[in-house]
Structures are given as C-alpha cells and as structure tokens.
Amino acid sequence: DAGVTQSPTHLIKTRGQQVTLRCSPKSGHDTVSWYQQALGQGPQFIFQYYEEEERQRGNFPDRFSGHQFPNYSSELNVNALLLGDSALYLCASSLFGTANQPQHFGDGTRLSIL
Amino acid sequence: GENVEQHPSTLSVQEGDSAVIKCTYSDSASNYFPWYKQELGKRPQLIIDIRSNVGEKKDQRIAVTLNKTAKHFSLHITETQPEDSAVYFCAATLGSSASKIIFGSGTRLSIRP
C-alpha cells in the first residue's frame, strides 16, 4: 500500500522563477492538503483540494496556486519566487474533504531560493 | 483569531520519566485535535488524535486529554524511551465544518539516558 509520495525531493530556484511541486496521495484517499514548513516551525496550511477544487485556503498570496487531477494527485505552483519561500513543502492526504480526518504526510520537497 | 499555542518549546526528561506537552486553541468550534511526531529530516507522523466528544484517549504509553471548557489539550508520554526524542506538534481544526487545521509551533523533546 503506497503512502503519500512527493516529487522532487529537493529543488533550487532563483528569485522571480516559478516552481511546480507534485504529490500523489495515499491509496484510497481523495483529499490533498499542502503545507509550508519553515525551519523550526510548525506546518502552515496553504490550501486543500477535494473533488478537483480548492476547498479551503490559508493566509497565502495568490502566487500560490494548485490543481487536483481526476486520479486525486495534486500540484502546487508558486510564481514569482521570493527568498522567503524557501521552506519544506509538505503534502498530506486524507478523506472526505474535511480537516477532521487523519492526515498522512509525504516526505516533502525542500525548496531553496537563491 | 486562528491560533494554537504550544508549550514548552523544548523539553528534556530523564529516560523512564513522563513528558507532558500542552496546547491551547482559540476557536470554540474546533472539534478534532491530532498530535504529530516529526523526527529530524522525516515526515510528520500522526501518533494520536482526539475528537471533541471525548475527554481522554490512550494508546499504550501515549495519552491525550481534552478540556473543552478551558480550550486546552495535552499530550502525555509515560515511561519515555530514547526513540521518543523528536519534535511534537499539536493541531486543531477550525470552524464547526472543520474547514482547515492549524498547527502549534512544536515542542522539541529530548530524552536523557
């Protein structure tokens, strides 16, 4: 039973560039949430996708966007990268489009902005 | 506002002793409270969760208690072992529809041999 997988594991970009991160949910899960985790901090909720729609959003600018595909996998896109976007980006999958179901996290993508 | 406060930020206990981590939340409609353990360089892993209709839940050496009136919940680890060393995060859902989840800032737990 495959867990949550994310790609790539590491990424280095420069300011102003755009990046796309990918996530495949745990088998049987239909909901994907994205988080940003800065060093020494807790995960910060970016948004949640369910039924191919963005259902909830945290306090992140429109530079952060996403997509969910019919197979439940998801992408996170960040435009006009800033130095402050350097962080670990975590994807978590769960069920039923709510936050009150157990979430299973992937290993994350470490994004570094130069 | 939307907030989950977690204390302490660091905790060091002797192997075999108990550890307690406390969190408070601001949204009285919060109804789901998970705890995650994150070892260095690894993914957060769910270790225990509790829902608002329950006051306490236990799983072997780990227990969580919830006080809805005071809006706080705590993680208790008994008979601590070296492999319990990690960062622990509490979290709480927001709104009666549990629209999203907010994490605490984490507690770095170290177990002294």
Side-chain angles (χ1 to χ4, degrees), chain B residues 1-2 6 10 27-28 32 38 46 60 63 66 91 93 95 102-103 105 109-110:
Chain B
E2 306 171 352
Q6 183 171 348
T10 59
D27 184 356
S28 57
Y32 177 63
Q38 188 174 29
L46 179 69
Q60 300 182 340
L66 172 64
T93 54
I102 300 296
F103 282 77
S105 55
L109 175 63
S110 301

Side-chain angles (χ1 to χ4, degrees), chain B residues 45-64:
Chain B
Q45 289 196 307
L46 179 69
I47 56 172
I48 196 167
D49 56 12
I50 191 167
R51 298 187 184 277
S52 57
N53 59 346
V54 175
E56 183 174 358
K57 184 177 178 180
K58 233 178 179 180
D59 183 4
Q60 300 182 340
R61 296 186 297 108
I62 295 173
V64 57

Side-chain angles (χ1 to χ4, degrees), chain B residues 8 10-15 17-19 107-113:
Chain B
T10 59
L11 179 61
S12 177
V13 301
Q14 194 74 35
E15 182 178 349
D17 287 350
S18 295
T107 295
R108 182 172 299 280
L109 175 63
S110 301
I111 308 301
R112 302 191 305 271

Side-chain angles (χ1 to χ4, degrees), chain A residues 3-4 35 37 40-45 48 56-59 88 90 97-108, chain B residues 2 31-32 34 36 38 41-46 49 51 89 93-94 96-106 108:
Chain A
V4 179
Y35 296 86
Q37 187 176 27
Q41 301 289 321
Q44 299 291 312
F45 176 75
Q48 180 196 80
Q56 295 295 334
R57 190 177 185 92
N59 296 326
L88 179 68
L90 292 163
T98 74
N100 63 3
Q101 293 293 322
Q103 296 193 57
H104 295 252
F105 282 86
D107 287 330
Chain B
E2 306 171 352
N31 57 24
Y32 177 63
Y36 286 85
Q38 188 174 29
K42 296 194 175 180
R43 67 181 73 184
Q45 289 196 307
L46 179 69
D49 56 12
R51 298 187 184 277
F89 293 100
T93 54
L94 291 180
S96 55
S97 62
S99 57
K100 51 188 175 182
I101 198 160
I102 300 296
F103 282 77
S105 55
R108 182 172 299 280

Side-chain angles (χ1 to χ4, degrees), chain B residues 69-111:
Chain B
T69 303
K71 290 192 280 189
H72 66 69
F73 56 114
S74 300
L75 178 71
H76 305 252
I77 305 175
T78 58
E79 301 172 15
T80 52
Q81 300 169 5
E83 55 264 35
D84 294 330
S85 293
V87 179
Y88 291 80
F89 293 100
C90 63
T93 54
L94 291 180
S96 55
S97 62
S99 57
K100 51 188 175 182
I101 198 160
I102 300 296
F103 282 77
S105 55
T107 295
R108 182 172 299 280
L109 175 63
S110 301
I111 308 301

